[in-house]
Amino acid sequence: KGGPSIWSMCASRDSNTIWMSSQPGIYAIDQKNRSSKYYNPAVLENKTIRQIAEDKNGNLWLGMHSTGVFKWNAAKGKNKFDEGMAAVTAVPRVQVNKITIDSKGYVWIATPENGAYVIDPGTDKVIMHFSDTANGEKKLPERGVSSVLEYDDTTMIITTATRIFRYNRILKHSSVIGSREIISGFITAVQKDKNGYLW
């Protein structure tokens, strides 16, 4: 039989562990010892984990296929992995497309129907919510967000299905890049190359 179905990966701050989210469960790959451990806490209901990211405190943020966001607290789960896992109730139980930790330590969560949430990992509270129903600089041109990328220490890039949205955190100003007609198909991911171009 084939191996596990891996959906997302991230490198740990410990410079050794590679975290992998799967369908279902989490793998911790120990590069030094060429070994792995598998975890599938009951609270995750045996569901697919679409996204995994590690914050500056070594905690894991899990974006689920249909049940929202869970956080694994490294301190609480040090001896028993499952004891560190809890739902992040500030985000609804929906599908998660992308989780990004920015250079300031904030957790950006993209959802296909509810926009993008920004969480303070110290309090697990929403500090910003970008959506098509928001006001001012947080209003998006579409309700779904496919991806989020930190372009530099000032600018965040938020992509919807067919639009690219730029948010300046210092000026608290936002703008849409280009028009709907220039993109053929649907945006599912975005990356920045060494020359500063977005792909």
Side-chain angles (χ1 to χ4, degrees), residues 83-120:
E83 292 181 1
M85 195 68 67
V88 177
T89 57
V91 178
R93 285 174 61 91
V94 296
Q95 178 177 306
V96 174
N97 286 338
K98 180 72 177 178
I99 296 182
T100 296
I101 315 292
D102 70 18
S103 59
K104 297 178 181 1
Y106 295 121
V107 183
W108 293 70
I109 299 165
T111 71
E113 300 290 332
N114 300 75
Y117 296 85
V118 185
I119 305 280
D120 180 340

Side-chain angles (χ1 to χ4, degrees), residues 108 114-118 126-143 145 158 160 165-169 171-175:
W108 293 70
N114 300 75
Y117 296 85
V118 185
V126 174
I127 56 172
M128 289 191 287
H129 182 207
F130 295 82
S131 73
D132 63 333
T133 59
N135 295 316
E137 75 280 359
K138 296 179 186 69
K139 185 172 180 62
L140 296 176
E142 298 175 54
R143 65 183 180 175
V145 173
I158 299 173
T160 63
F165 185 81
R166 175 176 49 201
Y167 176 68
N168 185 307
R169 293 187 287 198
L171 300 177
K172 292 184 171 33
H173 177 266
S174 60
S175 60

Side-chain angles (χ1 to χ4, degrees), residues 98 147-149 151 157 159 189-193 196-199:
K98 180 72 177 178
S147 194
V148 181
L149 170 76
Y151 186 83
I157 300 295
T159 59
V190 62
Q191 286 295 329
K192 173 186 161 185
D193 68 20
Y197 293 109
L198 292 178
W199 294 82

